Amino acid sequence: MSLLGREGEKRDFAEMRRDMVAVQLRMRGIRDAGVLDAMLKIPREEFVPEELRFRAYDDSPVGIGEGQTISQPYMVAIMTAVLKLKKTDRVLEIGTGSGYQAAVLAECAREVITIERIPSLQYHAKEVLSKLGYKNIIFAVADGTLGYPALAPYDGIIVTAGAPRVPEPLKEQLADGGRLVIPVGDRTFQQCLLVVKRDKEFDEQNLTGCMFVPLIGKEGWQN
Ligand SMILES: C[S@@+](CC[C@H](N)C(=O)[O-])C[C@H]1O[C@@H](n2cnc3c(N)ncnc32)[C@H](O)[C@@H]1O
């Protein structure tokens, strides 16, 4: 492809990104300026396999290999927005996948710890995020259902795979005043998006229906 072709492609993606934010996010009620700015800025196409880049801004999840997906833009936005992150916050993500959600979190918080169980996905996500210049993301390959106790507590925890129940270690690692967002339901992709707030006691709220790949691990589904 000529340089001109690549420039044209970049312009197309920028247009798609503006449309995504206007139509899929703003028109559906996403108002958090930090989240909207982040998603307007981050080149989502970089997180999608080359042959599927034309689908990077679709209103749906897209395959990233290993049977996993990059989440639908609206899900990324609503899950980030409910965490109500501040620039001083530390946030834990379970399910790095493509790395796109980690980039959005990294724009909204001070530090992101992201955990993935499939090494090849984590390797690729790390490469893309470092190429894009992110320096406030810590990566680990592990069973994220156990959280990451070494750096706990977390002001926000986001789980981007569907669980049978809220894993106890994640509740324990949530800071007082913190929020945890997680899809909970059955393994076959039908879940409720739960928001757990810790304010001395735990308070649980069901935000909406959703469909995620399964969270596999000791406190999740068995492989
Ligand atoms: C929907 S994808 C994640 C989307 C991702 N956040 C993104 O922005 O592309 C769910 C991811 O969770 C991972 N996963 C499932 N169970 C896990 C576990 N126990 N610990 C860490 N990652 C897990 C899967 O391998 C998959 O990559």
Side-chain angles (χ1 to χ4, degrees), residues 44 47 61-62 64-71 76 93-103 114-118 121 140-146 158-162 211-221:
R44 190 171 152 94
F47 297 85
V62 176
I64 55 169
E66 306 278 3
Q68 307 301 324
T69 53
I70 177 173
S71 305
V76 173
E93 178 192 24
I94 313 303
T96 311
S98 69
Y100 177 73
Q101 174 75 71
T114 184
I115 305 185
E116 173 55 55
R117 63 180 281 274
I118 301 177
L121 292 181
V141 173
D143 174 5
T145 66
L146 304 175
I158 178 168
V159 182
T160 64
M211 283 167 77
F212 278 83
V213 294
L215 181 76
I216 294 173
K218 188 159 182 281
E219 301 288 331
W221 296 102

mmCIF file of all heavy atoms in Angstrom, residues 44 47 61-62 64-71 76 93-103 114-118 121 140-146 158-162 211-221, ligand 1:
data_model
loop_
_atom_site.group_PDB
_atom_site.id
_atom_site.type_symbol
_atom_site.label_atom_id
_atom_site.label_comp_id
_atom_site.label_asym_id
_atom_site.label_seq_id
_atom_site.Cartn_x
_atom_site.Cartn_y
_atom_site.Cartn_z
ATOM 1 N N ARG A 44 -8.527 2.231 18.049
ATOM 2 C CA ARG A 44 -9.048 0.888 18.354
ATOM 3 C C ARG A 44 -8.596 -0.147 17.318
ATOM 4 O O ARG A 44 -8.420 -1.315 17.632
ATOM 5 C CB ARG A 44 -10.584 0.981 18.422
ATOM 6 C CG ARG A 44 -11.281 -0.259 18.958
ATOM 7 C CD ARG A 44 -12.763 0.031 19.196
ATOM 8 N NE ARG A 44 -13.561 -1.165 19.074
ATOM 9 C CZ ARG A 44 -13.904 -1.960 20.105
ATOM 10 N NH1 ARG A 44 -13.537 -1.662 21.317
ATOM 11 N NH2 ARG A 44 -14.628 -3.042 19.902
ATOM 12 N N PHE A 47 -5.813 -2.661 17.968
ATOM 13 C CA PHE A 47 -6.023 -3.763 18.908
ATOM 14 C C PHE A 47 -6.741 -4.952 18.272
ATOM 15 O O PHE A 47 -7.062 -5.924 18.947
ATOM 16 C CB PHE A 47 -6.828 -3.253 20.120
ATOM 17 C CG PHE A 47 -6.097 -2.189 20.905
ATOM 18 C CD1 PHE A 47 -6.161 -0.855 20.536
ATOM 19 C CD2 PHE A 47 -5.325 -2.536 22.005
ATOM 20 C CE1 PHE A 47 -5.482 0.122 21.251
ATOM 21 C CE2 PHE A 47 -4.637 -1.573 22.732
ATOM 22 C CZ PHE A 47 -4.719 -0.233 22.350
ATOM 23 N N PRO A 61 -18.753 -7.062 19.698
ATOM 24 C CA PRO A 61 -17.400 -7.571 19.956
ATOM 25 C C PRO A 61 -16.781 -8.057 18.644
ATOM 26 O O PRO A 61 -17.508 -8.353 17.691
ATOM 27 C CB PRO A 61 -17.634 -8.757 20.900
ATOM 28 C CG PRO A 61 -19.074 -8.747 21.261
ATOM 29 C CD PRO A 61 -19.810 -7.940 20.244
ATOM 30 N N VAL A 62 -15.444 -8.143 18.607
ATOM 31 C CA VAL A 62 -14.735 -8.637 17.413
ATOM 32 C C VAL A 62 -13.709 -9.676 17.892
ATOM 33 O O VAL A 62 -13.076 -9.490 18.940
ATOM 34 C CB VAL A 62 -14.027 -7.467 16.681
ATOM 35 C CG1 VAL A 62 -13.208 -7.973 15.495
ATOM 36 C CG2 VAL A 62 -15.037 -6.421 16.216
ATOM 37 N N ILE A 64 -10.379 -11.792 18.487
ATOM 38 C CA ILE A 64 -8.953 -11.412 18.548
ATOM 39 C C ILE A 64 -8.055 -12.647 18.571
ATOM 40 O O ILE A 64 -6.863 -12.561 18.857
ATOM 41 C CB ILE A 64 -8.654 -10.533 19.791
ATOM 42 C CG1 ILE A 64 -9.106 -11.215 21.099
ATOM 43 C CG2 ILE A 64 -9.294 -9.160 19.648
ATOM 44 C CD1 ILE A 64 -8.607 -10.523 22.369
ATOM 45 N N GLY A 65 -8.648 -13.837 18.309
ATOM 46 C CA GLY A 65 -7.865 -15.081 18.356
ATOM 47 C C GLY A 65 -8.029 -15.769 19.705
ATOM 48 O O GLY A 65 -8.546 -15.177 20.662
ATOM 49 N N GLU A 66 -7.630 -17.055 19.760
ATOM 50 C CA GLU A 66 -7.726 -17.864 20.985
ATOM 51 C C GLU A 66 -9.168 -17.974 21.483
ATOM 52 O O GLU A 66 -9.407 -18.202 22.671
ATOM 53 C CB GLU A 66 -6.842 -17.295 22.124
ATOM 54 C CG GLU A 66 -5.399 -17.081 21.784
ATOM 55 C CD GLU A 66 -4.565 -18.361 21.885
ATOM 56 O OE1 GLU A 66 -5.125 -19.415 22.173
ATOM 57 O OE2 GLU A 66 -3.354 -18.268 21.621
ATOM 58 N N GLY A 67 -10.130 -17.750 20.589
ATOM 59 C CA GLY A 67 -11.540 -17.834 20.979
ATOM 60 C C GLY A 67 -12.007 -16.660 21.843
ATOM 61 O O GLY A 67 -13.053 -16.736 22.481
ATOM 62 N N GLN A 68 -11.238 -15.566 21.857
ATOM 63 C CA GLN A 68 -11.565 -14.416 22.716
ATOM 64 C C GLN A 68 -11.952 -13.213 21.864
ATOM 65 O O GLN A 68 -11.834 -13.249 20.635
ATOM 66 C CB GLN A 68 -10.374 -14.085 23.631
ATOM 67 C CG GLN A 68 -9.870 -15.262 24.424
ATOM 68 C CD GLN A 68 -10.935 -15.868 25.332
ATOM 69 O OE1 GLN A 68 -11.778 -15.162 25.896
ATOM 70 N NE2 GLN A 68 -10.920 -17.187 25.474
ATOM 71 N N THR A 69 -12.425 -12.152 22.534
ATOM 72 C CA THR A 69 -12.929 -10.983 21.800
ATOM 73 C C THR A 69 -12.444 -9.677 22.428
ATOM 74 O O THR A 69 -12.139 -9.632 23.621
ATOM 75 C CB THR A 69 -14.481 -10.943 21.836
ATOM 76 O OG1 THR A 69 -14.904 -11.020 23.209
ATOM 77 C CG2 THR A 69 -15.097 -12.083 21.052
ATOM 78 N N ILE A 70 -12.429 -8.629 21.604
ATOM 79 C CA ILE A 70 -12.341 -7.252 22.110
ATOM 80 C C ILE A 70 -13.801 -6.852 22.328
ATOM 81 O O ILE A 70 -14.658 -7.100 21.471
ATOM 82 C CB ILE A 70 -11.611 -6.317 21.109
ATOM 83 C CG1 ILE A 70 -11.578 -4.872 21.600
ATOM 84 C CG2 ILE A 70 -12.203 -6.359 19.724
ATOM 85 C CD1 ILE A 70 -10.709 -3.946 20.702
ATOM 86 N N SER A 71 -14.111 -6.279 23.488
ATOM 87 C CA SER A 71 -15.504 -6.013 23.845
ATOM 88 C C SER A 71 -16.112 -4.910 22.960
ATOM 89 O O SER A 71 -15.398 -4.054 22.423
ATOM 90 C CB SER A 71 -15.610 -5.604 25.310
ATOM 91 O OG SER A 71 -15.018 -6.587 26.130
ATOM 92 N N VAL A 76 -17.342 -1.276 26.829
ATOM 93 C CA VAL A 76 -16.101 -0.695 27.352
ATOM 94 C C VAL A 76 -16.426 0.641 28.036
ATOM 95 O O VAL A 76 -15.988 0.924 29.160
ATOM 96 C CB VAL A 76 -15.072 -0.469 26.213
ATOM 97 C CG1 VAL A 76 -13.855 0.288 26.720
ATOM 98 C CG2 VAL A 76 -14.657 -1.807 25.595
ATOM 99 N N GLU A 93 -7.656 -4.661 36.211
ATOM 100 C CA GLU A 93 -8.485 -5.248 35.155
ATOM 101 C C GLU A 93 -8.209 -6.753 35.085
ATOM 102 O O GLU A 93 -7.052 -7.176 35.011
ATOM 103 C CB GLU A 93 -8.164 -4.631 33.787
ATOM 104 C CG GLU A 93 -8.995 -5.279 32.684
ATOM 105 C CD GLU A 93 -8.551 -4.950 31.255
ATOM 106 O OE1 GLU A 93 -7.379 -4.603 31.053
ATOM 107 O OE2 GLU A 93 -9.393 -5.063 30.349
ATOM 108 N N ILE A 94 -9.276 -7.552 35.040
ATOM 109 C CA ILE A 94 -9.136 -8.992 34.835
ATOM 110 C C ILE A 94 -9.592 -9.292 33.410
ATOM 111 O O ILE A 94 -10.759 -9.056 33.061
ATOM 112 C CB ILE A 94 -10.007 -9.802 35.828
ATOM 113 C CG1 ILE A 94 -9.849 -9.304 37.264
ATOM 114 C CG2 ILE A 94 -9.697 -11.298 35.696
ATOM 115 C CD1 ILE A 94 -8.457 -9.305 37.806
ATOM 116 N N GLY A 95 -8.670 -9.810 32.582
ATOM 117 C CA GLY A 95 -8.990 -10.114 31.184
ATOM 118 C C GLY A 95 -8.436 -9.057 30.246
ATOM 119 O O GLY A 95 -9.176 -8.280 29.645
ATOM 120 N N THR A 96 -7.103 -9.046 30.080
ATOM 121 C CA THR A 96 -6.448 -8.044 29.219
ATOM 122 C C THR A 96 -6.928 -8.144 27.776
ATOM 123 O O THR A 96 -7.124 -7.117 27.116
ATOM 124 C CB THR A 96 -4.913 -8.262 29.223
ATOM 125 O OG1 THR A 96 -4.461 -8.395 30.564
ATOM 126 C CG2 THR A 96 -4.182 -7.134 28.536
ATOM 127 N N GLY A 97 -7.084 -9.381 27.269
ATOM 128 C CA GLY A 97 -7.529 -9.594 25.887
ATOM 129 C C GLY A 97 -6.666 -8.820 24.908
ATOM 130 O O GLY A 97 -5.445 -8.986 24.856
ATOM 131 N N SER A 98 -7.289 -7.928 24.134
ATOM 132 C CA SER A 98 -6.555 -7.141 23.129
ATOM 133 C C SER A 98 -5.726 -6.028 23.751
ATOM 134 O O SER A 98 -4.831 -5.487 23.112
ATOM 135 C CB SER A 98 -7.555 -6.498 22.174
ATOM 136 O OG SER A 98 -8.282 -5.488 22.865
ATOM 137 N N GLY A 99 -6.092 -5.599 24.977
ATOM 138 C CA GLY A 99 -5.419 -4.462 25.610
ATOM 139 C C GLY A 99 -6.177 -3.154 25.446
ATOM 140 O O GLY A 99 -5.796 -2.138 26.046
ATOM 141 N N TYR A 100 -7.267 -3.141 24.666
ATOM 142 C CA TYR A 100 -7.975 -1.876 24.405
ATOM 143 C C TYR A 100 -8.581 -1.291 25.686
ATOM 144 O O TYR A 100 -8.423 -0.096 25.975
ATOM 145 C CB TYR A 100 -9.064 -2.098 23.346
ATOM 146 C CG TYR A 100 -9.875 -0.858 23.077
ATOM 147 C CD1 TYR A 100 -9.327 0.212 22.363
ATOM 148 C CD2 TYR A 100 -11.184 -0.725 23.544
ATOM 149 C CE1 TYR A 100 -10.059 1.361 22.124
ATOM 150 C CE2 TYR A 100 -11.922 0.413 23.306
ATOM 151 C CZ TYR A 100 -11.363 1.455 22.593
ATOM 152 O OH TYR A 100 -12.099 2.603 22.368
ATOM 153 N N GLN A 101 -9.265 -2.134 26.462
ATOM 154 C CA GLN A 101 -9.869 -1.645 27.710
ATOM 155 C C GLN A 101 -8.791 -1.093 28.652
ATOM 156 O O GLN A 101 -9.001 -0.075 29.306
ATOM 157 C CB GLN A 101 -10.643 -2.791 28.382
ATOM 158 C CG GLN A 101 -11.197 -2.478 29.757
ATOM 159 C CD GLN A 101 -12.421 -1.593 29.742
ATOM 160 O OE1 GLN A 101 -13.505 -2.010 29.353
ATOM 161 N NE2 GLN A 101 -12.247 -0.350 30.186
ATOM 162 N N ALA A 102 -7.640 -1.748 28.674
ATOM 163 C CA ALA A 102 -6.538 -1.285 29.529
ATOM 164 C C ALA A 102 -6.093 0.118 29.105
ATOM 165 O O ALA A 102 -5.780 0.968 29.946
ATOM 166 C CB ALA A 102 -5.364 -2.259 29.465
ATOM 167 N N ALA A 103 -6.091 0.383 27.796
ATOM 168 C CA ALA A 103 -5.709 1.714 27.310
ATOM 169 C C ALA A 103 -6.722 2.757 27.780
ATOM 170 O O ALA A 103 -6.345 3.852 28.224
ATOM 171 C CB ALA A 103 -5.622 1.708 25.777
ATOM 172 N N THR A 114 -3.235 -5.099 34.808
ATOM 173 C CA THR A 114 -4.113 -5.908 33.959
ATOM 174 C C THR A 114 -3.614 -7.358 33.922
ATOM 175 O O THR A 114 -2.425 -7.608 33.733
ATOM 176 C CB THR A 114 -4.282 -5.285 32.556
ATOM 177 O OG1 THR A 114 -5.224 -6.082 31.828
ATOM 178 C CG2 THR A 114 -2.997 -5.197 31.765
ATOM 179 N N ILE A 115 -4.551 -8.292 34.106
ATOM 180 C CA ILE A 115 -4.199 -9.707 34.214
ATOM 181 C C ILE A 115 -4.894 -10.512 33.117
ATOM 182 O O ILE A 115 -6.091 -10.329 32.873
ATOM 183 C CB ILE A 115 -4.629 -10.262 35.594
ATOM 184 C CG1 ILE A 115 -4.019 -9.396 36.687
ATOM 185 C CG2 ILE A 115 -4.212 -11.715 35.754
ATOM 186 C CD1 ILE A 115 -4.262 -9.901 38.073
ATOM 187 N N GLU A 116 -4.116 -11.385 32.471
ATOM 188 C CA GLU A 116 -4.658 -12.228 31.408
ATOM 189 C C GLU A 116 -4.182 -13.661 31.658
ATOM 190 O O GLU A 116 -3.069 -13.890 32.091
ATOM 191 C CB GLU A 116 -4.161 -11.709 30.036
ATOM 192 C CG GLU A 116 -4.484 -12.555 28.846
ATOM 193 C CD GLU A 116 -5.967 -12.861 28.673
ATOM 194 O OE1 GLU A 116 -6.781 -11.934 28.623
ATOM 195 O OE2 GLU A 116 -6.305 -14.059 28.597
ATOM 196 N N ARG A 117 -5.048 -14.649 31.353
ATOM 197 C CA ARG A 117 -4.627 -16.043 31.575
ATOM 198 C C ARG A 117 -3.968 -16.659 30.345
ATOM 199 O O ARG A 117 -3.276 -17.658 30.455
ATOM 200 C CB ARG A 117 -5.804 -16.908 32.062
ATOM 201 C CG ARG A 117 -6.947 -17.049 31.097
ATOM 202 C CD ARG A 117 -8.051 -17.923 31.664
ATOM 203 N NE ARG A 117 -7.740 -19.339 31.570
ATOM 204 C CZ ARG A 117 -7.986 -20.089 30.507
ATOM 205 N NH1 ARG A 117 -8.536 -19.550 29.421
ATOM 206 N NH2 ARG A 117 -7.692 -21.361 30.504
ATOM 207 N N ILE A 118 -4.166 -16.062 29.150
ATOM 208 C CA ILE A 118 -3.591 -16.639 27.922
ATOM 209 C C ILE A 118 -2.333 -15.834 27.536
ATOM 210 O O ILE A 118 -2.425 -14.667 27.124
ATOM 211 C CB ILE A 118 -4.632 -16.625 26.778
ATOM 212 C CG1 ILE A 118 -5.877 -17.419 27.196
ATOM 213 C CG2 ILE A 118 -4.026 -17.161 25.481
ATOM 214 C CD1 ILE A 118 -7.007 -17.420 26.194
ATOM 215 N N LEU A 121 -2.016 -13.675 24.204
ATOM 216 C CA LEU A 121 -2.827 -12.444 24.158
ATOM 217 C C LEU A 121 -2.136 -11.343 24.960
ATOM 218 O O LEU A 121 -2.045 -10.195 24.523
ATOM 219 C CB LEU A 121 -4.234 -12.689 24.717
ATOM 220 C CG LEU A 121 -5.153 -13.597 23.892
ATOM 221 C CD1 LEU A 121 -6.514 -13.724 24.563
ATOM 222 C CD2 LEU A 121 -5.324 -13.079 22.462
ATOM 223 N N ALA A 140 0.298 -8.889 33.999
ATOM 224 C CA ALA A 140 0.601 -10.177 34.631
ATOM 225 C C ALA A 140 -0.165 -11.272 33.910
ATOM 226 O O ALA A 140 -1.296 -11.049 33.437
ATOM 227 C CB ALA A 140 0.211 -10.152 36.103
ATOM 228 N N VAL A 141 0.486 -12.441 33.783
ATOM 229 C CA VAL A 141 -0.221 -13.627 33.293
ATOM 230 C C VAL A 141 -0.521 -14.467 34.517
ATOM 231 O O VAL A 141 0.389 -14.922 35.214
ATOM 232 C CB VAL A 141 0.641 -14.431 32.290
ATOM 233 C CG1 VAL A 141 -0.050 -15.737 31.928
ATOM 234 C CG2 VAL A 141 0.894 -13.608 31.035
ATOM 235 N N ALA A 142 -1.821 -14.623 34.815
ATOM 236 C CA ALA A 142 -2.214 -15.326 36.045
ATOM 237 C C ALA A 142 -3.705 -15.596 36.001
ATOM 238 O O ALA A 142 -4.404 -15.175 35.062
ATOM 239 C CB ALA A 142 -1.883 -14.451 37.257
ATOM 240 N N ASP A 143 -4.171 -16.293 37.028
ATOM 241 C CA ASP A 143 -5.610 -16.487 37.203
ATOM 242 C C ASP A 143 -6.166 -15.246 37.912
ATOM 243 O O ASP A 143 -6.011 -15.078 39.120
ATOM 244 C CB ASP A 143 -5.866 -17.751 38.038
ATOM 245 C CG ASP A 143 -7.341 -17.916 38.365
ATOM 246 O OD1 ASP A 143 -8.162 -17.119 37.866
ATOM 247 O OD2 ASP A 143 -7.668 -18.853 39.124
ATOM 248 N N GLY A 144 -6.814 -14.394 37.144
ATOM 249 C CA GLY A 144 -7.320 -13.122 37.673
ATOM 250 C C GLY A 144 -8.476 -13.274 38.645
ATOM 251 O O GLY A 144 -8.823 -12.303 39.323
ATOM 252 N N THR A 145 -9.075 -14.458 38.738
ATOM 253 C CA THR A 145 -10.175 -14.608 39.706
ATOM 254 C C THR A 145 -9.642 -14.472 41.136
ATOM 255 O O THR A 145 -10.408 -14.271 42.068
ATOM 256 C CB THR A 145 -10.910 -15.970 39.563
ATOM 257 O OG1 THR A 145 -10.030 -17.033 39.921
ATOM 258 C CG2 THR A 145 -11.430 -16.175 38.154
ATOM 259 N N LEU A 146 -8.306 -14.585 41.275
ATOM 260 C CA LEU A 146 -7.699 -14.435 42.605
ATOM 261 C C LEU A 146 -7.232 -13.004 42.841
ATOM 262 O O LEU A 146 -6.672 -12.688 43.896
ATOM 263 C CB LEU A 146 -6.514 -15.408 42.742
ATOM 264 C CG LEU A 146 -6.875 -16.889 42.499
ATOM 265 C CD1 LEU A 146 -5.639 -17.762 42.540
ATOM 266 C CD2 LEU A 146 -7.909 -17.352 43.522
ATOM 267 N N ILE A 158 -12.286 -4.087 37.349
ATOM 268 C CA ILE A 158 -13.151 -4.366 36.201
ATOM 269 C C ILE A 158 -12.850 -5.781 35.712
ATOM 270 O O ILE A 158 -11.688 -6.131 35.505
ATOM 271 C CB ILE A 158 -12.956 -3.298 35.101
ATOM 272 C CG1 ILE A 158 -13.796 -3.586 33.872
ATOM 273 C CG2 ILE A 158 -11.512 -3.129 34.691
ATOM 274 C CD1 ILE A 158 -13.852 -2.401 32.898
ATOM 275 N N VAL A 159 -13.888 -6.572 35.568
ATOM 276 C CA VAL A 159 -13.728 -7.945 35.085
ATOM 277 C C VAL A 159 -14.384 -8.002 33.712
ATOM 278 O O VAL A 159 -15.579 -7.727 33.576
ATOM 279 C CB VAL A 159 -14.382 -8.953 36.054
ATOM 280 C CG1 VAL A 159 -14.153 -10.384 35.557
ATOM 281 C CG2 VAL A 159 -13.842 -8.782 37.466
ATOM 282 N N THR A 160 -13.604 -8.367 32.686
ATOM 283 C CA THR A 160 -14.129 -8.306 31.321
ATOM 284 C C THR A 160 -14.427 -9.700 30.759
ATOM 285 O O THR A 160 -14.329 -9.928 29.561
ATOM 286 C CB THR A 160 -13.176 -7.517 30.400
ATOM 287 O OG1 THR A 160 -11.938 -8.223 30.311
ATOM 288 C CG2 THR A 160 -12.913 -6.122 30.914
ATOM 289 N N ALA A 161 -14.785 -10.621 31.657
ATOM 290 C CA ALA A 161 -15.261 -11.948 31.254
ATOM 291 C C ALA A 161 -16.371 -12.335 32.231
ATOM 292 O O ALA A 161 -16.405 -11.838 33.364
ATOM 293 C CB ALA A 161 -14.105 -12.953 31.291
ATOM 294 N N GLY A 162 -17.267 -13.232 31.781
ATOM 295 C CA GLY A 162 -18.464 -13.536 32.565
ATOM 296 C C GLY A 162 -18.207 -14.572 33.647
ATOM 297 O O GLY A 162 -17.679 -15.663 33.380
ATOM 298 N N MET A 211 -23.304 -9.948 27.379
ATOM 299 C CA MET A 211 -22.812 -11.249 26.896
ATOM 300 C C MET A 211 -21.294 -11.216 26.832
ATOM 301 O O MET A 211 -20.739 -10.443 26.055
ATOM 302 C CB MET A 211 -23.328 -11.514 25.476
ATOM 303 C CG MET A 211 -24.772 -11.945 25.408
ATOM 304 S SD MET A 211 -25.359 -11.849 23.705
ATOM 305 C CE MET A 211 -24.611 -13.300 23.033
ATOM 306 N N PHE A 212 -20.654 -12.030 27.662
ATOM 307 C CA PHE A 212 -19.188 -12.074 27.659
ATOM 308 C C PHE A 212 -18.698 -13.513 27.575
ATOM 309 O O PHE A 212 -19.404 -14.446 27.976
ATOM 310 C CB PHE A 212 -18.648 -11.454 28.959
ATOM 311 C CG PHE A 212 -18.570 -9.950 28.938
ATOM 312 C CD1 PHE A 212 -19.680 -9.178 29.226
ATOM 313 C CD2 PHE A 212 -17.384 -9.312 28.625
ATOM 314 C CE1 PHE A 212 -19.610 -7.788 29.209
ATOM 315 C CE2 PHE A 212 -17.301 -7.924 28.598
ATOM 316 C CZ PHE A 212 -18.413 -7.165 28.890
ATOM 317 N N VAL A 213 -17.470 -13.680 27.105
ATOM 318 C CA VAL A 213 -16.818 -14.997 27.149
ATOM 319 C C VAL A 213 -16.596 -15.358 28.621
ATOM 320 O O VAL A 213 -16.558 -14.486 29.476
ATOM 321 C CB VAL A 213 -15.455 -14.979 26.390
ATOM 322 C CG1 VAL A 213 -15.646 -14.756 24.914
ATOM 323 C CG2 VAL A 213 -14.517 -13.927 26.970
ATOM 324 N N PRO A 214 -16.456 -16.674 28.943
ATOM 325 C CA PRO A 214 -16.366 -17.059 30.360
ATOM 326 C C PRO A 214 -15.059 -16.680 31.053
ATOM 327 O O PRO A 214 -13.991 -16.713 30.445
ATOM 328 C CB PRO A 214 -16.535 -18.586 30.322
ATOM 329 C CG PRO A 214 -16.403 -19.009 28.923
ATOM 330 C CD PRO A 214 -16.515 -17.829 28.023
ATOM 331 N N LEU A 215 -15.214 -16.348 32.332
ATOM 332 C CA LEU A 215 -14.077 -16.127 33.228
ATOM 333 C C LEU A 215 -13.677 -17.493 33.772
ATOM 334 O O LEU A 215 -14.447 -18.144 34.484
ATOM 335 C CB LEU A 215 -14.503 -15.213 34.382
ATOM 336 C CG LEU A 215 -13.428 -14.874 35.397
ATOM 337 C CD1 LEU A 215 -12.453 -13.836 34.829
ATOM 338 C CD2 LEU A 215 -14.037 -14.338 36.693
ATOM 339 N N ILE A 216 -12.468 -17.922 33.409
ATOM 340 C CA ILE A 216 -12.049 -19.288 33.751
ATOM 341 C C ILE A 216 -10.981 -19.243 34.843
ATOM 342 O O ILE A 216 -9.965 -18.556 34.690
ATOM 343 C CB ILE A 216 -11.525 -20.007 32.492
ATOM 344 C CG1 ILE A 216 -12.716 -20.166 31.542
ATOM 345 C CG2 ILE A 216 -10.905 -21.353 32.828
ATOM 346 C CD1 ILE A 216 -12.394 -20.696 30.207
ATOM 347 N N GLY A 217 -11.244 -19.944 35.955
ATOM 348 C CA GLY A 217 -10.251 -19.942 37.022
ATOM 349 C C GLY A 217 -10.818 -20.506 38.303
ATOM 350 O O GLY A 217 -11.965 -20.955 38.350
ATOM 351 N N LYS A 218 -10.004 -20.442 39.353
ATOM 352 C CA LYS A 218 -10.372 -21.067 40.630
ATOM 353 C C LYS A 218 -11.699 -20.518 41.157
ATOM 354 O O LYS A 218 -12.541 -21.266 41.641
ATOM 355 C CB LYS A 218 -9.246 -20.805 41.636
ATOM 356 C CG LYS A 218 -9.405 -21.550 42.928
ATOM 357 C CD LYS A 218 -8.071 -21.683 43.649
ATOM 358 C CE LYS A 218 -8.226 -22.482 44.930
ATOM 359 N NZ LYS A 218 -8.777 -21.701 46.035
ATOM 360 N N GLU A 219 -11.896 -19.199 41.052
ATOM 361 C CA GLU A 219 -13.130 -18.577 41.548
ATOM 362 C C GLU A 219 -14.079 -18.237 40.401
ATOM 363 O O GLU A 219 -14.989 -17.414 40.561
ATOM 364 C CB GLU A 219 -12.792 -17.302 42.340
ATOM 365 C CG GLU A 219 -11.897 -17.529 43.531
ATOM 366 C CD GLU A 219 -12.611 -18.249 44.676
ATOM 367 O OE1 GLU A 219 -13.844 -18.097 44.803
ATOM 368 O OE2 GLU A 219 -11.926 -18.965 45.420
ATOM 369 N N GLY A 220 -13.841 -18.855 39.235
ATOM 370 C CA GLY A 220 -14.718 -18.629 38.082
ATOM 371 C C GLY A 220 -15.245 -19.950 37.578
ATOM 372 O O GLY A 220 -15.548 -20.859 38.358
ATOM 373 N N TRP A 221 -15.352 -20.103 36.237
ATOM 374 C CA TRP A 221 -15.768 -21.374 35.651
ATOM 375 C C TRP A 221 -14.562 -22.306 35.554
ATOM 376 O O TRP A 221 -13.432 -21.853 35.402
ATOM 377 C CB TRP A 221 -16.331 -21.140 34.239
ATOM 378 C CG TRP A 221 -17.567 -20.307 34.226
ATOM 379 C CD1 TRP A 221 -17.641 -18.978 33.904
ATOM 380 C CD2 TRP A 221 -18.889 -20.711 34.563
ATOM 381 N NE1 TRP A 221 -18.927 -18.535 34.014
ATOM 382 C CE2 TRP A 221 -19.726 -19.579 34.420
ATOM 383 C CE3 TRP A 221 -19.460 -21.908 34.989
ATOM 384 C CZ2 TRP A 221 -21.083 -19.600 34.679
ATOM 385 C CZ3 TRP A 221 -20.834 -21.936 35.247
ATOM 386 C CH2 TRP A 221 -21.631 -20.812 35.085
HETATM 387 C C1 LIG B 1 -13.861 -10.258 26.422
HETATM 388 S S1 LIG B 1 -12.172 -10.679 26.529
HETATM 389 C C2 LIG B 1 -11.420 -9.218 27.144
HETATM 390 C C3 LIG B 1 -11.548 -7.983 26.397
HETATM 391 C C4 LIG B 1 -10.444 -7.026 26.779
HETATM 392 N N1 LIG B 1 -10.666 -6.378 28.033
HETATM 393 C C5 LIG B 1 -10.177 -6.067 25.655
HETATM 394 O O1 LIG B 1 -10.209 -4.853 25.859
HETATM 395 O O2 LIG B 1 -9.897 -6.558 24.556
HETATM 396 C C6 LIG B 1 -12.033 -11.623 28.047
HETATM 397 C C7 LIG B 1 -10.611 -11.994 28.410
HETATM 398 O O3 LIG B 1 -10.614 -12.557 29.719
HETATM 399 C C8 LIG B 1 -9.606 -13.528 29.767
HETATM 400 N N2 LIG B 1 -9.809 -14.357 30.956
HETATM 401 C C9 LIG B 1 -10.740 -15.317 31.170
HETATM 402 N N3 LIG B 1 -10.589 -15.844 32.407
HETATM 403 C C10 LIG B 1 -9.528 -15.197 32.984
HETATM 404 C C11 LIG B 1 -8.879 -15.285 34.249
HETATM 405 N N4 LIG B 1 -9.252 -16.120 35.221
HETATM 406 N N5 LIG B 1 -7.833 -14.460 34.492
HETATM 407 C C12 LIG B 1 -7.408 -13.586 33.553
HETATM 408 N N6 LIG B 1 -7.985 -13.466 32.332
HETATM 409 C C13 LIG B 1 -9.043 -14.249 32.060
HETATM 410 C C14 LIG B 1 -9.771 -14.228 28.434
HETATM 411 O O4 LIG B 1 -8.640 -14.996 28.094
HETATM 412 C C15 LIG B 1 -10.009 -13.041 27.503
HETATM 413 O O5 LIG B 1 -8.822 -12.571 26.952
#
